[in-house]
Amino acid sequence: MSDIKQDTEKNILAAASRVFIRKGMGGTRMQEIADEAQINKSLLHYYYRSKQLLFEAVFKNTVAEFILIIKEIFNSEEDLRIKIPKIVQVYTDYLKKNPYIISFILRELQAEPKIILKIIEMVNIKSLYFFEQIKENISSGKIKPIKPEDLFVNILSLTIFPIVAKPIVKAALMQNDSEKYNDFLEERKKTICEFIFSSIY
Amino acid sequence: MSDIKQDTEKNILAAASRVFIRKGMGGTRMQEIADEAQINKSLLHYYYRSKQLLFEAVFKNTVAEFILIIKEIFNSEEDLRIKIPKIVQVYTDYLKKNPYIISFILRELQAEPKIILKIIEMVNIKSLYFFEQIKENISSGKIKPIKPEDLFVNILSLTIFPIVAKPIVKAALMQNDSEKYNDFLEERKKTICEFIFSSIY
DNA sequence: AATAAATTTGACCAAATAGTTAAACTAAGT
DNA sequence: ACTTAGTTTAACTATTTGGTCAAATTTATT
Protein backbone atom coordinates (compact mmCIF):
# COMPACT_ATOMS: atom_id res chain seq x y z
CA MET A 1 0.00 0.00 0.00
CA SER A 2 2.66 2.46 0.98
CA ASP A 3 4.45 1.18 -2.09
CA ILE A 4 1.51 2.22 -4.17
CA LYS A 5 1.43 5.52 -2.39
CA GLN A 6 5.07 6.11 -3.17
CA ASP A 7 4.45 5.08 -6.74
CA THR A 8 1.66 7.60 -7.18
CA GLU A 9 3.58 10.30 -5.42
CA LYS A 10 6.67 9.75 -7.54
CA ASN A 11 4.57 9.42 -10.65
CA ILE A 12 3.07 12.82 -9.90
CA LEU A 13 6.45 14.35 -9.26
CA ALA A 14 7.86 12.92 -12.46
CA ALA A 15 4.91 14.11 -14.52
CA ALA A 16 5.01 17.52 -12.87
CA SER A 17 8.73 17.75 -13.62
CA ARG A 18 8.21 17.07 -17.28
CA VAL A 19 5.48 19.69 -17.59
CA PHE A 20 6.97 22.36 -15.32
CA ILE A 21 10.40 22.09 -16.92
CA ARG A 22 8.94 22.54 -20.37
CA LYS A 23 6.40 25.27 -19.58
CA GLY A 24 7.52 26.86 -16.34
CA MET A 25 5.47 27.63 -13.26
CA GLY A 26 3.36 30.29 -14.94
CA GLY A 27 2.70 28.34 -18.11
CA THR A 28 1.70 25.08 -16.49
CA ARG A 29 -1.89 24.04 -15.72
CA MET A 30 -2.64 21.57 -12.96
CA GLN A 31 -4.87 19.69 -15.39
CA GLU A 32 -1.92 19.22 -17.72
CA ILE A 33 0.08 17.60 -14.95
CA ALA A 34 -2.85 15.37 -14.05
CA ASP A 35 -3.20 14.31 -17.68
CA GLU A 36 0.53 13.70 -17.97
CA ALA A 37 0.41 11.53 -14.83
CA GLN A 38 -2.84 9.94 -16.03
CA ILE A 39 -4.60 10.61 -12.75
CA ASN A 40 -7.30 12.84 -11.35
CA LYS A 41 -6.50 16.46 -10.69
CA SER A 42 -7.57 16.16 -7.07
CA LEU A 43 -4.79 13.71 -6.43
CA LEU A 44 -2.27 16.43 -7.10
CA HIS A 45 -3.74 18.40 -4.25
CA TYR A 46 -4.04 15.33 -2.09
CA TYR A 47 -0.31 14.71 -2.29
CA TYR A 48 1.09 18.20 -2.68
CA ARG A 49 -1.60 20.55 -1.33
CA SER A 50 -1.07 23.31 -3.89
CA LYS A 51 0.48 24.14 -7.22
CA GLN A 52 3.09 26.22 -5.45
CA LEU A 53 4.20 23.36 -3.20
CA LEU A 54 4.25 20.89 -6.08
CA PHE A 55 6.33 23.32 -8.06
CA GLU A 56 8.76 23.81 -5.22
CA ALA A 57 9.22 20.07 -4.89
CA VAL A 58 10.00 19.85 -8.59
CA PHE A 59 12.31 22.82 -8.54
CA LYS A 60 14.23 21.62 -5.51
CA ASN A 61 14.64 18.19 -7.09
CA THR A 62 15.80 19.55 -10.41
CA VAL A 63 18.35 21.89 -8.95
CA ALA A 64 19.60 19.24 -6.55
CA GLU A 65 20.31 16.89 -9.43
CA PHE A 66 22.02 19.61 -11.36
CA ILE A 67 24.15 20.64 -8.41
CA LEU A 68 25.07 17.05 -7.70
CA ILE A 69 26.65 16.77 -11.13
CA ILE A 70 28.63 19.97 -10.62
CA LYS A 71 29.80 18.78 -7.24
CA GLU A 72 30.96 15.36 -8.33
CA ILE A 73 32.74 16.43 -11.42
CA PHE A 74 34.42 19.58 -10.16
CA ASN A 75 35.55 17.71 -7.06
CA SER A 76 37.34 14.94 -8.92
CA GLU A 77 41.08 14.87 -8.31
CA GLU A 78 42.16 14.09 -11.84
CA ASP A 79 44.63 16.26 -13.69
CA LEU A 80 43.09 19.29 -15.40
CA ARG A 81 44.00 17.85 -18.81
CA ILE A 82 41.59 15.02 -18.06
CA LYS A 83 39.17 16.83 -15.81
CA ILE A 84 38.25 19.77 -18.00
CA PRO A 85 37.38 17.61 -21.03
CA LYS A 86 35.33 15.43 -18.73
CA ILE A 87 33.43 18.42 -17.36
CA VAL A 88 32.65 19.60 -20.86
CA GLN A 89 31.61 16.16 -22.00
CA VAL A 90 29.44 15.25 -19.04
CA TYR A 91 27.67 18.60 -19.11
CA THR A 92 27.11 18.57 -22.83
CA ASP A 93 25.65 15.09 -22.72
CA TYR A 94 23.50 15.84 -19.71
CA LEU A 95 22.10 19.02 -21.21
CA LYS A 96 21.54 17.45 -24.59
CA LYS A 97 19.40 14.86 -22.89
CA ASN A 98 17.63 17.45 -20.75
CA PRO A 99 17.69 20.54 -22.90
CA TYR A 100 15.06 22.46 -20.95
CA ILE A 101 16.58 22.05 -17.51
CA ILE A 102 18.97 24.96 -17.56
CA SER A 103 16.47 27.35 -19.08
CA PHE A 104 13.95 26.19 -16.52
CA ILE A 105 16.29 26.86 -13.64
CA LEU A 106 17.38 30.24 -14.96
CA ARG A 107 13.83 31.26 -15.77
CA GLU A 108 12.37 30.41 -12.40
CA LEU A 109 15.36 31.81 -10.59
CA GLN A 110 14.76 35.11 -12.26
CA ALA A 111 11.13 35.10 -11.17
CA GLU A 112 12.04 34.15 -7.61
CA PRO A 113 15.73 34.88 -6.97
CA LYS A 114 15.52 34.27 -3.22
CA ILE A 115 15.25 30.52 -3.70
CA ILE A 116 18.82 30.35 -4.89
CA LEU A 117 20.17 31.23 -1.47
CA LYS A 118 18.88 28.03 0.09
CA ILE A 119 20.31 26.06 -2.78
CA ILE A 120 23.72 27.61 -2.60
CA GLU A 121 23.90 26.41 0.97
CA MET A 122 23.63 22.88 -0.41
CA VAL A 123 26.97 23.22 -2.11
CA ASN A 124 29.57 25.74 -1.22
CA ILE A 125 30.79 26.09 -4.78
CA LYS A 126 34.02 27.77 -3.87
CA SER A 127 34.97 24.89 -1.62
CA LEU A 128 35.02 22.53 -4.60
CA TYR A 129 38.45 21.02 -5.11
CA PHE A 130 38.54 22.60 -8.56
CA PHE A 131 39.25 26.01 -7.04
CA GLU A 132 42.13 24.74 -4.92
CA GLN A 133 43.43 22.78 -7.87
CA ILE A 134 43.63 25.84 -10.10
CA LYS A 135 45.59 27.75 -7.49
CA GLU A 136 47.99 24.85 -7.04
CA ASN A 137 48.50 24.51 -10.78
CA ILE A 138 49.26 28.21 -11.02
CA SER A 139 51.67 28.15 -8.07
CA SER A 140 53.59 25.25 -9.51
CA GLY A 141 53.72 26.96 -12.89
CA LYS A 142 51.73 24.26 -14.65
CA ILE A 143 49.18 26.73 -16.00
CA LYS A 144 49.21 30.45 -16.65
CA PRO A 145 47.68 32.69 -13.98
CA ILE A 146 43.92 33.04 -14.18
CA LYS A 147 41.30 33.70 -11.56
CA PRO A 148 39.65 30.38 -10.71
CA GLU A 149 36.25 32.07 -10.82
CA ASP A 150 36.91 33.21 -14.37
CA LEU A 151 38.00 29.80 -15.52
CA PHE A 152 34.99 28.21 -13.83
CA VAL A 153 32.59 30.62 -15.49
CA ASN A 154 34.36 30.27 -18.84
CA ILE A 155 34.09 26.50 -18.90
CA LEU A 156 30.41 26.58 -18.02
CA SER A 157 29.66 29.47 -20.37
CA LEU A 158 31.24 27.80 -23.38
CA THR A 159 29.51 24.53 -22.62
CA ILE A 160 26.08 25.63 -21.50
CA PHE A 161 25.29 28.71 -23.54
CA PRO A 162 25.08 27.10 -26.99
CA ILE A 163 22.57 24.65 -25.53
CA VAL A 164 20.52 27.24 -23.70
CA ALA A 165 20.44 29.33 -26.85
CA LYS A 166 19.67 26.32 -29.01
CA PRO A 167 16.81 27.88 -31.02
CA ILE A 168 18.96 30.84 -31.97
CA VAL A 169 22.16 28.95 -32.69
CA LYS A 170 20.35 26.28 -34.61
CA ALA A 171 18.38 28.72 -36.75
CA ALA A 172 21.04 31.38 -37.23
CA LEU A 173 24.11 29.21 -37.78
CA MET A 174 22.89 25.72 -38.61
CA GLN A 175 20.15 26.47 -41.16
CA ASN A 176 17.76 25.05 -38.57
CA ASP A 177 19.14 21.58 -39.28
CA SER A 178 18.95 19.37 -36.18
CA GLU A 179 21.69 17.03 -37.27
CA LYS A 180 24.01 19.89 -38.06
CA TYR A 181 23.32 21.40 -34.68
CA ASN A 182 23.95 18.09 -32.99
CA ASP A 183 27.26 17.60 -34.80
CA PHE A 184 28.22 21.12 -33.86
CA LEU A 185 27.73 20.35 -30.17
CA GLU A 186 29.66 17.09 -30.48
CA GLU A 187 32.61 18.77 -32.16
CA ARG A 188 32.57 21.50 -29.59
CA LYS A 189 33.45 19.00 -26.91
CA LYS A 190 36.92 19.08 -28.45
CA THR A 191 37.09 22.66 -29.61
CA ILE A 192 36.00 24.07 -26.27
CA CYS A 193 38.85 22.22 -24.59
CA GLU A 194 41.36 23.34 -27.18
CA PHE A 195 40.09 26.86 -26.72
CA ILE A 196 40.52 26.66 -22.96
CA PHE A 197 43.85 24.87 -23.01
CA SER A 198 45.39 27.31 -25.46
CA SER A 199 44.68 30.04 -22.98
CA ILE A 200 45.86 28.37 -19.76
CA TYR A 201 48.81 26.26 -20.97
CA MET B 1 -4.97 64.07 -31.01
CA SER B 2 -2.77 61.71 -32.94
CA ASP B 3 0.05 62.92 -30.73
CA ILE B 4 -1.86 61.86 -27.67
CA LYS B 5 -2.83 58.67 -29.37
CA GLN B 6 0.79 57.92 -30.12
CA ASP B 7 1.71 58.81 -26.57
CA THR B 8 -0.81 56.39 -25.14
CA GLU B 9 0.08 53.72 -27.62
CA LYS B 10 3.79 54.02 -26.91
CA ASN B 11 3.16 54.28 -23.21
CA ILE B 12 1.29 51.00 -23.38
CA LEU B 13 4.02 49.34 -25.40
CA ALA B 14 6.70 50.55 -23.01
CA ALA B 15 4.77 49.38 -19.97
CA ALA B 16 4.00 46.05 -21.62
CA SER B 17 7.67 45.64 -22.46
CA ARG B 18 8.72 46.15 -18.89
CA VAL B 19 6.21 43.63 -17.57
CA PHE B 20 6.48 41.03 -20.32
CA ILE B 21 10.27 41.05 -20.26
CA ARG B 22 10.30 40.49 -16.52
CA LYS B 23 7.49 37.95 -16.28
CA GLY B 24 7.11 36.47 -19.75
CA MET B 25 3.94 35.96 -21.75
CA GLY B 26 2.51 33.32 -19.43
CA GLY B 27 3.34 35.09 -16.19
CA THR B 28 1.98 38.48 -17.18
CA ARG B 29 -1.54 39.69 -16.40
CA MET B 30 -3.19 42.33 -18.56
CA GLN B 31 -4.13 44.18 -15.36
CA GLU B 32 -0.46 44.40 -14.41
CA ILE B 33 0.32 46.08 -17.71
CA ALA B 34 -2.58 48.48 -17.26
CA ASP B 35 -1.36 49.35 -13.78
CA GLU B 36 2.19 49.81 -15.02
CA ALA B 37 0.93 52.13 -17.77
CA GLN B 38 -1.47 53.80 -15.31
CA ILE B 39 -4.43 53.38 -17.61
CA ASN B 40 -7.60 51.37 -17.86
CA LYS B 41 -7.36 47.73 -18.87
CA SER B 42 -9.81 48.25 -21.71
CA LEU B 43 -7.40 50.63 -23.35
CA LEU B 44 -4.96 47.79 -23.86
CA HIS B 45 -7.57 46.04 -25.94
CA TYR B 46 -8.55 49.24 -27.68
CA TYR B 47 -5.02 49.70 -28.98
CA TYR B 48 -3.78 46.14 -29.33
CA ARG B 49 -6.92 43.97 -29.53
CA SER B 50 -5.55 41.03 -27.55
CA LYS B 51 -2.83 39.96 -25.16
CA GLN B 52 -1.29 37.87 -27.91
CA LEU B 53 -1.00 40.81 -30.31
CA LEU B 54 0.36 43.10 -27.63
CA PHE B 55 2.91 40.47 -26.72
CA GLU B 56 3.94 40.01 -30.33
CA ALA B 57 4.47 43.74 -30.70
CA VAL B 58 6.70 43.72 -27.64
CA PHE B 59 8.60 40.64 -28.70
CA LYS B 60 9.19 41.87 -32.22
CA ASN B 61 10.45 45.19 -30.87
CA THR B 62 12.75 43.62 -28.34
CA VAL B 63 14.32 41.18 -30.75
CA ALA B 64 14.68 43.85 -33.41
CA GLU B 65 16.67 46.02 -31.04
CA PHE B 66 18.82 43.12 -29.99
CA ILE B 67 19.50 42.06 -33.57
CA LEU B 68 20.33 45.61 -34.58
CA ILE B 69 23.18 45.66 -32.08
CA ILE B 70 24.55 42.34 -33.32
CA LYS B 71 24.34 43.52 -36.89
CA GLU B 72 26.09 46.83 -36.38
CA ILE B 73 28.88 45.57 -34.26
CA PHE B 74 29.70 42.35 -36.07
CA ASN B 75 29.62 44.18 -39.38
CA SER B 76 32.16 46.81 -38.42
CA GLU B 77 35.35 46.69 -40.49
CA GLU B 78 37.80 47.34 -37.70
CA ASP B 79 40.67 45.00 -36.96
CA LEU B 80 39.75 42.04 -34.73
CA ARG B 81 42.03 43.39 -31.98
CA ILE B 82 39.70 46.36 -31.74
CA LYS B 83 36.49 44.73 -32.83
CA ILE B 84 36.33 41.81 -30.40
CA PRO B 85 36.88 43.98 -27.31
CA LYS B 86 34.21 46.31 -28.63
CA ILE B 87 31.75 43.45 -29.08
CA VAL B 88 32.37 42.27 -25.55
CA GLN B 89 32.08 45.74 -24.13
CA VAL B 90 28.97 46.84 -25.98
CA TYR B 91 27.17 43.62 -25.16
CA THR B 92 28.16 43.59 -21.53
CA ASP B 93 26.98 47.17 -21.09
CA TYR B 94 23.76 46.58 -22.99
CA LEU B 95 22.89 43.46 -21.01
CA LYS B 96 23.83 44.99 -17.69
CA LYS B 97 21.31 47.71 -18.43
CA ASN B 98 18.72 45.24 -19.69
CA PRO B 99 19.45 42.11 -17.72
CA TYR B 100 16.16 40.36 -18.45
CA ILE B 101 16.17 40.76 -22.21
CA ILE B 102 18.19 37.71 -23.15
CA SER B 103 16.34 35.43 -20.76
CA PHE B 104 13.10 36.84 -22.08
CA ILE B 105 14.02 36.10 -25.67
CA LEU B 106 15.31 32.62 -24.91
CA ARG B 107 12.32 31.79 -22.74
CA GLU B 108 9.71 32.84 -25.28
CA LEU B 109 11.65 31.29 -28.11
CA GLN B 110 11.52 28.00 -26.30
CA ALA B 111 7.79 28.28 -25.84
CA GLU B 112 7.25 29.23 -29.47
CA PRO B 113 10.27 28.23 -31.53
CA LYS B 114 8.64 28.96 -34.88
CA ILE B 115 8.89 32.70 -34.33
CA ILE B 116 12.66 32.54 -34.66
CA LEU B 117 12.45 31.75 -38.35
CA LYS B 118 10.88 35.10 -39.15
CA ILE B 119 13.52 36.81 -37.09
CA ILE B 120 16.42 35.06 -38.69
CA GLU B 121 15.17 36.39 -41.99
CA MET B 122 15.74 39.86 -40.58
CA VAL B 123 19.47 39.28 -40.39
CA ASN B 124 21.33 36.61 -42.23
CA ILE B 125 23.84 36.12 -39.44
CA LYS B 126 26.33 34.27 -41.55
CA SER B 127 26.48 37.13 -44.02
CA LEU B 128 27.85 39.45 -41.34
CA TYR B 129 31.28 40.75 -42.26
CA PHE B 130 32.66 39.09 -39.13
CA PHE B 131 32.49 35.67 -40.77
CA GLU B 132 34.34 36.81 -43.88
CA GLN B 133 36.84 38.63 -41.72
CA ILE B 134 37.73 35.54 -39.73
CA LYS B 135 38.35 33.56 -42.89
CA GLU B 136 40.55 36.33 -44.28
CA ASN B 137 42.53 36.56 -41.07
CA ILE B 138 43.11 32.82 -41.13
CA SER B 139 44.12 32.80 -44.80
CA SER B 140 46.63 35.55 -44.28
CA GLY B 141 48.01 33.79 -41.21
CA LYS B 142 47.05 36.59 -38.85
CA ILE B 143 45.13 34.25 -36.55
CA LYS B 144 45.18 30.52 -35.94
CA PRO B 145 42.59 28.39 -37.74
CA ILE B 146 39.19 28.28 -36.03
CA LYS B 147 35.72 27.80 -37.39
CA PRO B 148 34.06 31.23 -37.52
CA GLU B 149 30.89 29.74 -36.04
CA ASP B 150 32.84 28.52 -33.03
CA LEU B 151 34.52 31.85 -32.47
CA PHE B 152 31.19 33.63 -32.84
CA VAL B 153 29.53 31.33 -30.32
CA ASN B 154 32.50 31.54 -27.96
CA ILE B 155 32.49 35.32 -27.85
CA LEU B 156 28.77 35.47 -27.17
CA SER B 157 28.85 32.60 -24.67
CA LEU B 158 31.61 34.13 -22.58
CA THR B 159 29.91 37.52 -22.63
CA ILE B 160 26.27 36.63 -22.28
CA PHE B 161 26.16 33.58 -20.04
CA PRO B 162 27.45 35.16 -16.82
CA ILE B 163 24.73 37.78 -17.20
CA VAL B 164 21.95 35.35 -18.03
CA ALA B 165 23.02 33.22 -15.08
CA LYS B 166 23.34 36.25 -12.83
CA PRO B 167 21.46 34.83 -9.83
CA ILE B 168 23.63 31.72 -9.78
CA VAL B 169 26.95 33.42 -10.42
CA LYS B 170 26.23 36.16 -7.95
CA ALA B 171 25.14 33.80 -5.19
CA ALA B 172 27.61 31.00 -5.79
CA LEU B 173 30.76 32.97 -6.52
CA MET B 174 30.18 36.52 -5.31
CA GLN B 175 28.64 35.92 -1.89
CA ASN B 176 25.51 37.52 -3.32
CA ASP B 177 27.26 40.87 -3.26
CA SER B 178 25.98 43.12 -6.05
CA GLU B 179 29.06 45.29 -6.17
CA LYS B 180 31.34 42.29 -6.35
CA TYR B 181 29.27 40.85 -9.16
CA ASN B 182 29.37 44.14 -10.99
CA ASP B 183 33.14 44.41 -10.63
CA PHE B 184 33.44 40.85 -11.86
CA LEU B 185 31.55 41.70 -15.06
CA GLU B 186 33.62 44.82 -15.58
CA GLU B 187 36.91 42.97 -15.21
CA ARG B 188 35.68 40.26 -17.51
CA LYS B 189 35.55 42.76 -20.35
CA LYS B 190 39.33 42.46 -20.34
CA THR B 191 39.75 38.85 -19.30
CA ILE B 192 37.33 37.55 -21.89
CA CYS B 193 39.37 39.25 -24.61
CA GLU B 194 42.65 37.95 -23.21
CA PHE B 195 41.09 34.51 -23.08
CA ILE B 196 39.98 34.72 -26.70
CA PHE B 197 43.17 36.33 -28.00
CA SER B 198 45.40 33.76 -26.35
CA SER B 199 43.60 31.12 -28.32
CA ILE B 200 43.48 32.75 -31.74
CA TYR B 201 46.79 34.65 -31.85
C1' DA C 1 -21.71 76.41 -30.59
C1' DA C 2 -22.94 72.12 -32.68
C1' DT C 3 -21.64 67.92 -34.51
C1' DA C 4 -18.83 64.12 -35.34
C1' DA C 5 -15.01 61.23 -34.34
C1' DA C 6 -11.72 59.34 -31.47
C1' DT C 7 -10.46 58.07 -26.87
C1' DT C 8 -11.16 56.52 -22.15
C1' DT C 9 -13.70 54.46 -18.47
C1' DG C 10 -16.31 51.23 -15.45
C1' DA C 11 -19.32 47.60 -15.29
C1' DC C 12 -19.89 43.30 -16.93
C1' DC C 13 -19.26 38.46 -19.14
C1' DA C 14 -17.54 33.93 -20.14
C1' DA C 15 -13.93 30.85 -19.96
C1' DA C 16 -10.24 28.96 -17.56
C1' DT C 17 -8.30 27.33 -13.55
C1' DA C 18 -6.74 26.39 -8.65
C1' DG C 19 -8.64 24.38 -5.01
C1' DT C 20 -12.51 21.85 -2.00
C1' DT C 21 -15.47 18.26 -0.51
C1' DA C 22 -17.99 14.32 0.14
C1' DA C 23 -18.65 10.00 -1.49
C1' DA C 24 -16.72 5.69 -3.51
C1' DC C 25 -13.18 2.52 -3.63
C1' DT C 26 -9.05 -0.40 -2.07
C1' DA C 27 -6.27 -2.95 0.83
C1' DA C 28 -4.62 -4.36 5.44
C1' DG C 29 -5.51 -5.89 9.96
C1' DT C 30 -8.80 -8.00 13.14
C1' DA D 1 -16.94 -10.66 7.09
C1' DC D 2 -16.00 -6.10 9.35
C1' DT D 3 -13.62 -2.18 10.41
C1' DT D 4 -10.38 1.24 9.60
C1' DA D 5 -7.14 4.02 7.27
C1' DG D 6 -5.50 5.47 3.20
C1' DT D 7 -6.41 6.48 -1.72
C1' DT D 8 -8.99 7.96 -5.75
C1' DT D 9 -12.76 10.03 -8.10
C1' DA D 10 -16.41 13.23 -9.82
C1' DA D 11 -18.88 17.14 -9.02
C1' DC D 12 -18.67 21.54 -7.32
C1' DT D 13 -16.92 26.31 -5.79
C1' DA D 14 -14.46 30.52 -5.87
C1' DT D 15 -11.35 33.23 -8.08
C1' DT D 16 -8.72 34.90 -11.63
C1' DT D 17 -8.37 36.71 -16.03
C1' DG D 18 -8.84 37.92 -20.98
C1' DG D 19 -12.06 40.16 -23.30
C1' DT D 20 -16.55 43.01 -24.48
C1' DC D 21 -19.73 46.87 -24.53
C1' DA D 22 -22.18 50.88 -23.93
C1' DA D 23 -21.84 55.12 -21.84
C1' DA D 24 -18.94 59.15 -20.69
C1' DT D 25 -15.36 62.17 -21.93
C1' DT D 26 -12.21 64.50 -24.76
C1' DT D 27 -10.66 66.28 -29.12
C1' DA D 28 -11.23 67.72 -33.89
C1' DT D 29 -14.21 69.71 -37.54
C1' DT D 30 -17.78 72.50 -39.35
Side-chain angles (χ1 to χ4, degrees):
Chain A
M1 182 172 68
S2 92
D3 274 4
I4 294 168
K5 171 170 175 166
Q6 277 203 348
D7 272 10
T8 309
E9 199 167 334
K10 284 193 173 159
N11 177 33
I12 289 175
L13 199 70
S17 290
R18 289 193 291 276
V19 182
F20 273 135
I21 286 174
R22 232 181 314 119
K23 307 208 169 181
M25 168 67 172
T28 295
R29 301 290 96 100
M30 291 297 266
Q31 188 58 55
E32 275 183 283
I33 297 174
D35 292 346
E36 177 81 21
Q38 293 183 298
I39 52 154
N40 193 286
K41 186 162 69 82
S42 302
L43 262 191
L44 302 178
H45 289 96
Y46 178 73
Y47 282 102
Y48 291 93
R49 283 205 58 82
S50 73
K51 185 184 180 184
Q52 183 62 30
L53 288 174
L54 176 53
F55 173 78
E56 280 168 20
V58 167
F59 189 77
K60 212 185 291 178
N61 248 33
T62 307
V63 174
E65 185 183 78
F66 186 72
I67 294 272
L68 189 68
I69 297 177
I70 289 197
K71 200 170 181 172
E72 263 184 35
I73 203 164
F74 276 94
N75 256 340
S76 120
E77 299 201 352
E78 294 163 308
D79 185 84
L80 288 176
R81 290 253 186 210
I82 307 294
K83 186 169 173 173
I84 290 176
K86 194 169 272 179
I87 293 170
V88 173
Q89 201 211 326
V90 169
Y91 257 89
T92 301
D93 289 342
Y94 175 66
L95 295 178
K96 274 172 78 174
K97 265 188 217 147
N98 309 279
Y100 297 120
I101 282 194
I102 289 272
S103 310
F104 170 68
I105 293 175
L106 294 176
R107 183 204 306 152
E108 303 302 334
L109 230 41
Q110 211 160 64
E112 202 66 49
K114 308 158 216 163
I115 302 177
I116 191 70
L117 295 176
K118 290 181 200 158
I119 295 158
I120 295 304
E121 287 167 17
M122 293 166 67
V123 189
N124 185 346
I125 299 278
K126 283 208 173 183
S127 74
L128 295 170
Y129 173 59
F130 177 83
F131 287 85
E132 192 52 36
Q133 187 176 21
I134 297 304
K135 286 178 203 155
E136 285 169 10
N137 271 263
I138 293 171
S139 300
S140 62
K142 281 189 188 159
I143 66 171
K144 290 184 208 164
I146 183 171
K147 273 192 293 182
E149 291 84 0
D150 268 313
L151 187 55
F152 181 79
V153 168
N154 289 351
I155 294 172
L156 292 184
S157 298
L158 292 167
T159 307
I160 296 176
F161 184 76
I163 300 177
V164 175
K166 174 175 175 176
I168 294 178
V169 172
K170 193 173 147 190
L173 300 176
M174 306 295 143
Q175 293 87 48
N176 225 26
D177 178 332
S178 293
E179 201 180 344
K180 234 177 198 172
Y181 173 71
N182 192 56
D183 292 349
F184 177 68
L185 289 188
E186 281 304 316
E187 281 192 47
R188 270 183 75 82
K189 287 181 185 172
K190 277 184 218 154
T191 53
I192 287 173
C193 292
E194 288 165 15
F195 200 77
I196 293 169
F197 286 161
S198 72
S199 115
I200 62 173
Y201 284 109
Chain B
M1 179 177 68
S2 91
D3 274 5
I4 293 168
K5 170 169 179 169
Q6 276 202 348
D7 272 10
T8 308
E9 199 167 334
K10 284 194 174 156
N11 176 35
I12 289 175
L13 198 69
S17 292
R18 289 193 292 275
V19 182
F20 273 134
I21 286 174
R22 232 181 313 121
K23 308 209 169 179
M25 168 69 172
T28 295
R29 302 289 95 101
M30 291 296 267
Q31 188 57 55
E32 275 183 282
I33 298 175
D35 292 346
E36 176 81 22
Q38 294 182 300
I39 53 153
N40 191 286
K41 185 163 67 84
S42 302
L43 261 192
L44 302 179
H45 291 96
Y46 179 73
Y47 282 101
Y48 290 92
R49 284 204 60 82
S50 72
K51 185 184 182 184
Q52 184 62 30
L53 288 174
L54 177 53
F55 172 78
E56 279 168 23
V58 167
F59 190 77
K60 210 184 294 178
N61 249 32
T62 306
V63 173
E65 185 183 78
F66 185 71
I67 294 272
L68 189 69
I69 297 177
I70 289 198
K71 202 169 180 172
E72 263 184 36
I73 203 164
F74 277 93
N75 257 339
S76 119
E77 300 202 352
E78 292 162 309
D79 185 85
L80 288 175
R81 291 254 187 211
I82 306 295
K83 186 169 173 174
I84 290 175
K86 194 169 272 178
I87 292 170
V88 172
Q89 201 212 328
V90 169
Y91 257 90
T92 300
D93 290 342
Y94 175 65
L95 294 178
K96 275 172 75 174
K97 267 188 216 146
N98 309 277
Y100 297 119
I101 282 194
I102 291 272
S103 310
F104 170 68
I105 293 175
L106 293 177
R107 182 203 305 152
E108 302 303 334
L109 232 39
Q110 210 161 64
E112 202 66 50
K114 310 158 215 162
I115 302 177
I116 190 71
L117 296 176
K118 288 181 200 159
I119 295 158
I120 295 304
E121 288 167 16
M122 290 166 68
V123 189
N124 184 346
I125 299 276
K126 282 208 173 182
S127 74
L128 294 170
Y129 173 60
F130 177 83
F131 286 86
E132 193 52 37
Q133 186 175 23
I134 298 303
K135 287 178 202 154
E136 285 170 10
N137 271 264
I138 293 172
S139 300
S140 62
K142 280 189 188 160
I143 67 171
K144 290 184 208 163
I146 184 172
K147 272 192 294 182
E149 291 85 359
D150 269 312
L151 186 54
F152 182 78
V153 169
N154 289 350
I155 294 172
L156 292 185
S157 298
L158 292 167
T159 307
I160 295 176
F161 184 76
I163 300 176
V164 175
K166 174 175 175 176
I168 294 178
V169 172
K170 194 173 146 190
L173 299 176
M174 305 296 144
Q175 293 87 47
N176 227 27
D177 177 333
S178 293
E179 202 182 342
K180 234 177 198 171
Y181 173 73
N182 192 56
D183 292 348
F184 177 68
L185 289 188
E186 281 304 315
E187 282 192 47
R188 271 184 75 81
K189 286 181 184 173
K190 276 183 217 154
T191 54
I192 288 174
C193 292
E194 288 165 14
F195 199 77
I196 293 168
F197 286 161
S198 73
S199 115
I200 61 172
Y201 285 110

